[in-house]
């Protein structure tokens, strides 16, 4: 993947081959990471893969999109849509990607707040972590995060919420977590 990044745009001819490798379970994650290393020109390939009928292709595409950080800003609406998917791994990967991108808070923050009640503990934690990466732009999430600090039965959820609250509002008062 570092080699693709070092090629500074000259790796574009590898995109079709890497797109095919996304469909092999043994190479899918590496292909997604390599596509991300190529950069913005690989974003259409990754966003198209979000609609694949194969679970691992979709979740690895979301992971790759997140690795593009701000260059993946156009993918935010697609990631918001897949947050409602029935596949837990995809919801987790989309939550993580939104945190890495940390853009379009008017769309991403409310969608991540809905994941705070996800049936999956891992998705809930990732949504909380991602909200913190939006910093002050996630201020609308503060009440829901405070609720998690005070009432979650899971220590790691409470701790993640405390950290996210400090990221969102470093000077604000953070509630004490229950022991």
């Amino acid at each position: 993947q570092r080699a693709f990044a070092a090629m500074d745009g000259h790796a574009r001819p590898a995109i079709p081959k890497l797109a095919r490798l996304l469909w092999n379970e043994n190479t899918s994650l590496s292909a997604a990471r390599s596509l991300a290393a190529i950069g913005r020109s690989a974003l259409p390939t990754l966003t198209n893969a979000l609609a694949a009928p194969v679970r691992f292709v979709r979740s690895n595409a979301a992971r790759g999109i997140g690795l593009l950080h701000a260059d993946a800003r156009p993918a935010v609406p697609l990631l918001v849509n897949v947050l409602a998917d029935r596949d837990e791994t995809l919801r987790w990967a989309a939550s993580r990607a939104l945190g890495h991108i940390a853009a379009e808070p008017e769309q991403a923050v409310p969608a991540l707040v809905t994941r705070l009640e996800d049936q999956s503990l891992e998705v809930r934690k990732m949504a909380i972590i991602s909200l913190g990466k939006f910093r002050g732009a996630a201020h609308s999430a503060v009440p829901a995060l405070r609720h998690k600090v005070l009432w979650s039965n899971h220590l790691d959820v409470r701790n993640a919420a405390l950290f996210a609250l400090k990221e969102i509002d470093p000077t604000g008062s953070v509630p004490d977590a229950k022991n």
Side-chain angles (χ1 to χ4, degrees), residues 102-152:
E104 307 295 340
E106 62 286 344
Q107 293 175 41
V109 170
L112 287 167
V113 168
T114 66
R115 293 297 88 195
L116 298 183
E117 301 303 325
D118 197 279
Q119 64 191 18
S120 164
L121 175 63
E122 296 305 315
V123 173
R124 288 194 305 267
K125 288 190 303 188
M126 186 50 66
I128 291 168
I129 292 165
S130 291
L131 284 166
K133 292 181 179 184
F134 279 85
R135 303 202 183 266
H139 203 333
S140 63
V142 167
L145 290 169
R146 286 178 188 249
H147 185 268
K148 288 296 174 194
V149 169
L150 295 171
W151 301 108
S152 177

Side-chain angles (χ1 to χ4, degrees), residues 149-161:
V149 169
L150 295 171
W151 301 108
S152 177
N153 292 325
H154 299 280
L155 179 60
D156 43 356
V157 169
R158 291 193 309 268
N159 288 338

Side-chain angles (χ1 to χ4, degrees), residues 50 61-63 65-66 72 75-84 90 93-95 97-98 101:
L50 283 176
R63 288 177 182 192
I65 291 168
V76 168
L78 297 170
L79 292 167
V80 165
N81 286 339
V82 300
L83 281 177
L90 179 56
S95 296
L98 287 168
I101 298 166

Side-chain angles (χ1 to χ4, degrees), residues 4-138:
F4 287 120
M7 292 179 74
D8 193 32
H10 297 290
R12 285 188 193 119
I15 291 174
K17 175 69 173 172
L18 290 168
R20 287 190 296 278
L21 291 173
L22 274 173
W23 290 82
N24 178 322
E25 194 164 10
N26 295 323
T27 59
S28 184
L29 182 56
S30 293
R33 288 177 174 162
S34 296
L35 284 163
I38 290 172
R40 183 181 306 188
S41 60
L43 183 60
T45 300
L46 291 165
T47 56
N48 288 338
L50 283 176
V54 181
R55 291 172 53 189
F56 69 83
V57 173
R58 292 193 318 265
S59 61
N60 288 332
R63 288 177 182 192
I65 291 168
L67 294 174
L68 286 167
H69 299 279
D71 284 342
R73 180 183 216 121
V76 168
L78 297 170
L79 292 167
V80 165
N81 286 339
V82 300
L83 281 177
D85 196 274
R86 62 182 164 88
D87 180 13
E88 173 184 339
T89 305
L90 179 56
R91 293 192 313 273
W92 178 89
S95 296
R96 184 173 188 245
L98 287 168
H100 283 314
I101 298 166
E104 307 295 340
E106 62 286 344
Q107 293 175 41
V109 170
L112 287 167
V113 168
T114 66
R115 293 297 88 195
L116 298 183
E117 301 303 325
D118 197 279
Q119 64 191 18
S120 164
L121 175 63
E122 296 305 315
V123 173
R124 288 194 305 267
K125 288 190 303 188
M126 186 50 66
I128 291 168
I129 292 165
S130 291
L131 284 166
K133 292 181 179 184
F134 279 85
R135 303 202 183 266

